[in-house]
Amino acid sequence: MKYQEAAYLFTSQRVGVALYLPTVAQWEEQGVTIEQNCHWPAENSTLTVRRTDKTKSATFTLKLRVPYWATKGFDVKLNGKSIAKTYQPCSYVEIPNREWQDGDRVEVFMPFTKHINWGPDKMDLAATGKNETRTPFDPQWVGAIMYGPLVMATPDVKEWKDADFALS
């Protein structure tokens, strides 16, 4: 599957936007296209609804993903007006069922934030490659320094003593 194929999730009366990247989705059942304009990776994305079949009523619900890292400043505006006061990261925000007009615009603002994404470093048991198939290890947690969805990495640090950084 191509990455952009997972950008939109359709049912008969609902579309979900799962990825923010420059795309055009054609929804023949509703007689619309949804054009998404942004730079990738996106801190802002604008979706424009275009009525391609004026004989059909383009009535549907639009759901927009709120990324886990979108904790400060996230907002969704429909034709210039915010649709909610607060948003829950790791969820979807919904513009309820409505009749969409040609040129309706949905703007998504998701400023990148600095954070640490924690995860397990290794399993309790693992193969070592030394004819030992189940060597026990103490579980450890490590963190990746992130800026929005981006992992901050460098090839220039060879030893821990050279790793000097500050998150502020």
Side-chain angles (χ1 to χ4, degrees):
M1 174 163 66
K2 297 175 189 162
Y3 191 63
Q4 61 270 28
E5 289 176 358
Y8 301 93
L9 310 165
F10 292 96
T11 67
S12 63
Q13 295 297 310
R14 180 179 306 153
V15 60
V17 179
L19 299 174
Y20 298 103
L21 64 160
T23 53
V24 176
Q26 296 178 348
W27 195 5
E28 291 180 17
E29 293 82 9
Q30 287 286 343
V32 299
T33 61
I34 300 171
E35 181 179 338
Q36 187 175 171
N37 288 306
C38 61
H39 294 287
W40 193 91
E43 286 188 272
N44 303 307
S45 186
T46 300
L47 294 98
T48 305
V49 175
R50 298 281 179 217
R51 301 278 305 271
T52 56
D53 185 345
K54 307 273 197 265
T55 65
K56 293 183 179 182
S57 170
T59 303
F60 58 90
T61 297
L62 179 64
K63 295 184 79 161
L64 302 145
R65 184 173 64 89
V66 183
Y68 84 90
W69 49 264
T71 56
K72 295 179 186 169
F74 186 90
D75 194 17
V76 175
K77 293 183 178 184
L78 172 58
N79 296 326
K81 296 180 183 173
S82 292
I83 65 165
K85 292 183 181 189
T86 61
Y87 302 89
Q88 179 64 45
C90 297
S91 70
Y92 280 76
V93 62
E94 184 176 290
I95 298 175
N97 201 39
R98 68 186 298 272
E99 185 170 347
W100 293 83
Q101 303 302 313
D102 189 49
D104 277 344
R105 291 170 49 97
V106 176
E107 298 169 283
V108 182
F109 302 92
M110 46 197 153
F112 290 174
T113 57
K114 297 175 224 165
H115 61 283
I116 297 176
N117 191 2
W118 295 98
D121 181 37
K122 51 188 155 191
M123 299 183 294
D124 308 5
L125 295 171
T128 62
K130 300 178 185 174
N131 264 350
E132 301 167 357
T133 57
R134 295 181 61 81
T135 303
F137 291 99
D138 290 330
Q140 296 179 9
W141 285 81
V142 296
I145 299 169
M146 307 287 291
Y147 183 59
L150 306 173
V151 177
M152 300 285 97
T154 179
D156 299 331
V157 175
K158 306 290 186 227
E159 298 180 32
W160 276 112
K161 66 180 179 63
D162 298 328
D164 184 23
F165 62 89
L167 287 177
S168 53

